Each structure stands twice: as C-alpha cells, then as structure tokens.
Amino acid sequence: KRPLYGIIIGHRDPAFAAWGSVATLSEQIDQYLRALQQGPTNAIIEQGARLYDRLVTPLAPSSEAKEWVIVPDGPLLDLPFEALVSGSTGESSTRGVFVVQEKTVTYAYSATLFAAPPAATSGLAPESLILAAPVFAGGIEFPSYLLGSTDGMPSVSFSELRGTGREAVAIDRLFDQNRHTMPGNVELLLGKASTERALKESALNRYRFVHLATHG
C-alpha cells in the first residue's frame, strides 16, 4: 500500500496532497482509461471528474494556473491530464469541462531537467512543424529481438492505423488556422513517403514541433 503524493510548485508557496495508495489510484486510472476508449460520455464525465477531485482539487488554489507542467510518476504516467474533467462531481453546473479546454498542459519526466535553462533556439529555421504518418497496410512484421522479446515469439505484427493520416492532416489545418501565432511551413510525410530514412534525412533540429502519428 505504497502511498503517492502530489506536489505543486508555482508562484505561491508549494502545495502538497496525499493521493492515497498507488494500487487504488492505479485501479481508478485504469477504469477511466477504459471509459475513454469505450464510452459512454456520461461515464467519462463522472470518472474524469472523480479523478480531478482526487488529484487536482486538493492542490488548489495553485492549480488555478492556466499553464500546467506535469511531472508524472507511477500510474500517472498513463494518465492524460488533459482528459480530466474540472468541477466537483456534485456540482453539475461546472461538470463536463475538460482540462484541455481551460489549460495548456505539457509534460516533463524529470523535475531537474525541467528546471534547467532551456536550450537556445535562435538557430531554428522558419519551418515550424513536421508531421509523419506512415502506412501499415496489411501489417508490418518485426523480428521479436528488435522489440526485446524473450519468449521465443518469431515476429510481431503491427496492424494498419487508418486514422494517422487524418490526424496529421487535421493538425496541419490547425497550424494553418493559427498561422499568425505559428509562422513557418508545415512538412507532411504521409503514407509511403513517411519512412524512417525520410525522417532521419529531414534534419529535425530545424523544426519547433515534430509529430509522429504511428504505433507507440
């Protein structure tokens, strides 16, 4: 029953919260992830609000900041904080507002690295985004040793991801709509053009954003 604690650091004094045991929190997160995948919407709202009340509400008022940097640990590594639902489960007037609608959420996996000075970006070229969505038509097989498998399985098949191309195009359109705040070009590598070689030859340090729509 190892406990997990939350610490929030901002312009005010740090805030602390006891989130309970890792086991119970992990179970609650798993239930919410299943709800996100399967629905229905009312289950998502209810469970998302419960997780918000458990994780975020005890850290108020510091949690009122518009920009969050999450340094997750344990079961929180699997939780998309953007998908939590703000507002208590008992306050119907504020239920149904996802965090992503109110906050800018980014992630850092080391508080030490986050506190380090940011890398210089003066050498960045005008390009702002590269999007890659490879094709997996018919499935692609990889030898198991490349994936660290030790159970004797000869290969692993990665199935086609039909939504990745649409995902990349949708992000491209978002950049077009916000060109006044995100200057620069967008390079799309879709389908058969999205190969490992093409990506490596694209000099990724030219880009402010790199989006890979593919298998994890």
Side-chain angles (χ1 to χ4, degrees), residues 8-94:
I8 190 165
I9 301 174
H11 297 295
R12 306 179 183 180
D13 293 335
F16 302 86
W19 287 336
S21 73
V22 172
T24 58
L25 181 58
S26 180
E27 181 179 356
Q28 188 175 358
I29 291 174
D30 287 344
Q31 290 176 352
Y32 185 45
L33 294 177
R34 287 194 295 270
L36 287 174
Q37 293 173 353
Q38 303 170 4
T41 304
N42 57 345
I44 295 174
I45 298 298
E46 181 179 354
Q47 294 187 40
R50 287 178 180 174
L51 266 174
Y52 186 98
D53 285 344
R54 178 171 183 173
L55 298 174
V56 180
T57 300
L59 296 171
S62 299
S63 59
E64 297 172 358
K66 292 298 183 181
E67 297 183 6
W68 292 359
V69 179
I70 308 294
V71 183
D73 185 39
L76 298 178
L77 288 164
D78 296 324
L79 178 65
F81 278 76
E82 300 93 327
L84 297 182
V85 180
S86 63
S88 172
T89 55
E91 300 175 0
S92 58
S93 61
T94 60

Side-chain angles (χ1 to χ4, degrees), residues 100-123:
V100 71
Q101 297 175 265
E102 300 180 320
K103 312 290 185 181
T104 298
V105 181
T106 56
Y107 295 87
Y109 295 97
S110 165
T112 303
L113 291 177
F114 173 70
T121 58
S122 58

Side-chain angles (χ1 to χ4, degrees), residues 128-129 131 168-188 209:
S128 59
L129 173 73
L131 295 159
V169 171
I171 295 175
D172 181 24
R173 290 175 179 171
L174 286 175
F175 268 71
D176 285 340
Q177 295 169 7
N178 296 275
R179 189 62 62 202
H180 60 288
T181 59
M182 299 179 181
N185 299 320
V186 174
E187 181 178 355
L188 280 171
F209 304 96

